[in-house]
Amino acid sequence: IYERLGFRAVGSTAQLAPTRMQEPRNPEVAISSLDSADKDQLLELDSGIFGGDRSGLLEMLMRGDDKSRVVTRHNAGRLSGFLFVRDRLIGPGAATSPEVARALVQDALVDASPERTLLLPTESAYLDVLLSLGFVEQQRLTHMRHGDPNIDGSRQQLLAQTSYAAG
């Protein structure tokens, strides 16, 4: 039915869950909580990686209305990654390198509930990082888009989605 409406399959989203104790976080990689000075950098980093403006959604998450927290990774004074940790979902998140992705996920899992999952978009380059940290795939759903299937941005640097629908 979706194809008749102009939607096309463009990949899939994998739902991953942690299964074992992760290796200790590298203490040389600095991770911190979001502070007010990071907000604009987070929105700028996300827009460039995600390929669109989802500042309204991220600002809502930064307010913590759903008791979410966010961890960030800095490199030479610039934000190089972020990852929201919510009640039952890890995400959204983005990282500029596999090392940043690993550190963010390790920090996010410090107090992880076993029910928490992470939604990894098809474009992400970080599946191997997540599998090496003990994540396993629970399910994979086809991702469809209407119209032009190409989205600007450095989407290979996406670490986690907000939801199946919101990206």
Side-chain angles (χ1 to χ4, degrees), residues 37-88:
D38 293 333
K39 178 184 169 189
D40 289 338
Q41 283 189 46
L42 187 149
L43 295 176
E44 178 184 343
L45 179 69
D46 181 74
S47 178
I49 291 173
F50 182 72
D53 180 10
R54 57 180 179 172
S55 58
L57 171 67
L58 295 175
E59 287 171 346
M60 180 198 69
L61 291 172
M62 284 186 264
R63 282 194 307 268
D65 296 345
D66 65 349
K67 298 183 176 65
S68 64
R69 68 182 179 95
V70 62
V71 293
T72 59
R73 165 73 170 98
H74 290 81
N75 186 6
R78 293 293 300 163
L79 196 65
S80 58
F82 68 91
L83 184 59
F84 285 86
V85 182
R86 302 177 320 168
D87 187 37
R88 301 193 45 88

Side-chain angles (χ1 to χ4, degrees), residues 10-47:
V10 294
S12 60
T13 298
Q15 180 177 328
L16 305 172
T19 60
R20 62 177 165 83
M21 185 63 82
Q22 283 66 36
E23 60 194 60
R25 187 172 64 77
N26 181 350
E28 295 176 13
V29 178
I31 298 289
S32 63
S33 295
L34 185 73
D35 64 35
S36 59
D38 293 333
K39 178 184 169 189
D40 289 338
Q41 283 189 46
L42 187 149
L43 295 176
E44 178 184 343
L45 179 69
D46 181 74
S47 178

Side-chain angles (χ1 to χ4, degrees), residues 94-142:
T96 57
S97 72
E99 296 77 25
V100 171
R102 175 179 295 280
L104 288 167
V105 171
Q106 286 176 312
D107 196 70
L109 293 174
V110 167
D111 64 350
S113 158
E115 293 86 31
R116 254 188 211 136
T117 59
L118 183 146
L119 302 176
L120 187 70
T122 193
E123 303 99 333
S124 178
Y126 302 130
L127 178 59
D128 289 342
V129 170
L130 294 164
L131 295 175
S132 75
L133 290 171
F135 280 81
V136 294
E137 188 174 320
Q138 292 184 318
Q139 68 177 345
R140 187 173 287 267
L141 298 177
T142 300

